[in-house]
Amino acid sequence: GAVVSQHPSRVICKSGTSVKIECRSLDFQATTMFWYRQFPKQSLMLMATSNEGSKATYEQGVEKDKFLINHASLTLSTLTVTSAHPEDSSFYICSASAPRGVEFFGPGTRLTVL
Amino acid sequence: GENVEQHPSTLSVQEGDSAVIKCTYSDSASNYFPWYKQELGKGPQLIIDIRSNVGEKKDQRIAVTLNKTAKHFSLHITETQPEDSAVYFCAATKGYSSASKIIFGSGTRLSIRP
């Protein structure tokens, strides 16, 4: 299947700092990428839909000023968690839509805010 | 909106036996149903998918069935092996458009007993 990478895989930061997570589709162009959040032993929760060249669409309850998304190219989307707090600690996963709607996921980024 | 229910939440089977995970969906417009396997600390991996114009699909030890009338679909794993232990998510989405959101089930934690 297609390859989607995420960087970093793990990050620990102090409360109040911002963290940027990159998501790249390595072997196909993705017009649309998705960002998810996953708490332990729970399913994936969609945070936002990221479309190349336009503003991201956020799900209800997700603060767009808190979770900044930029989709600057067909192979790269970034999620910036601004002024992170301990409650933002979670597993963040991106996905990229390949042709015909098949969605491939990245390996995830474990964020820990101290 | 779409709602996907998944059962059971946990499943333990003897190595070599079969495992079955069932899902139901609510939106009759959904027409693409992927299944993902997620190992601890990793992103979900697409293992098999089925589209609404097909009733059954098989790939080696994994098969998926779809009943559009009843709006349910199932994952069947035969001859289970220890490496099948993981969390499995069913999902449903509408259309082949890359902008279609995927709605996930709550997940099934599958354990294979040696």
Side-chain angles (χ1 to χ4, degrees), chain B:
Chain B
E2 175 67 282
N3 182 50
V4 176
E5 293 192 358
Q6 183 172 347
H7 301 280
S9 57
T10 59
L11 179 61
S12 178
V13 301
Q14 193 74 37
E15 181 178 352
D17 288 349
S18 296
V20 180
I21 302 171
K22 298 182 179 181
C23 290
T24 59
Y25 61 100
S26 61
D27 191 340
S28 56
S30 292
N31 55 17
Y32 174 58
F33 307 90
W35 285 86
Y36 291 90
K37 175 183 180 182
Q38 186 177 26
E39 297 177 343
L40 190 63
K42 298 183 179 179
Q45 282 204 316
L46 180 68
I47 56 171
I48 196 168
D49 56 12
I50 191 167
R51 300 189 186 274
S52 59
N53 58 347
V54 176
E56 184 173 356
K57 183 177 178 181
K58 190 173 182 180
D59 182 4
Q60 299 183 347
R61 296 186 298 108
I62 295 174
V64 59
T65 59
L66 171 66
N67 182 326
K68 283 193 298 181
T69 303
K71 289 190 281 189
H72 63 70
F73 56 115
S74 301
L75 177 72
H76 303 251
I77 305 175
T78 59
E79 300 173 27
T80 53
Q81 301 169 4
E83 53 265 35
D84 295 330
S85 295
V87 178
Y88 291 81
F89 292 99
C90 63
T93 184
K94 289 186 273 193
Y96 300 112
S97 164
S98 62
S100 297
K101 290 191 289 188
I102 282 186
I103 307 300
F104 286 90
S106 53
T108 296
R109 186 172 299 277
L110 175 63
S111 300
I112 308 301
R113 302 191 304 270

Side-chain angles (χ1 to χ4, degrees), chain A residues 31 50-55 70-74:
Chain A
T31 307
S50 168
N51 292 298
E52 187 267 338
S54 63
K55 290 184 179 180
N70 183 274
H71 195 155
S73 76
L74 288 172

Side-chain angles (χ1 to χ4, degrees), chain A residues 31-32 34 36 38 41-44 46 49 59 91 93 97 100-108 110, chain B residues 32 36 38 41-44 46 49 51 89 93 95-102 104-107 109:
Chain A
T31 307
T32 303
F34 301 91
Y36 296 83
Q38 186 178 34
K41 298 186 178 181
Q42 292 190 22
S43 188
L44 287 78
L46 179 65
T49 302
E59 294 299 301
F91 194 50
I93 308 172
S97 278
R100 299 194 69 200
V102 180
E103 196 166 322
F104 294 98
F105 286 82
R110 170 83 50 201
Chain B
Y32 174 58
Y36 291 90
Q38 186 177 26
K42 298 183 179 179
L46 180 68
D49 56 12
R51 300 189 186 274
F89 292 99
T93 184
Y96 300 112
S97 164
S98 62
S100 297
K101 290 191 289 188
I102 282 186
F104 286 90
S106 53
R109 186 172 299 277

Side-chain angles (χ1 to χ4, degrees), chain A residues 69-83:
Chain A
I69 292 172
N70 183 274
H71 195 155
S73 76
L74 288 172
T75 59
L76 173 65
S77 177
T78 60
L79 168 68
T80 301
V81 183
T82 62
S83 187

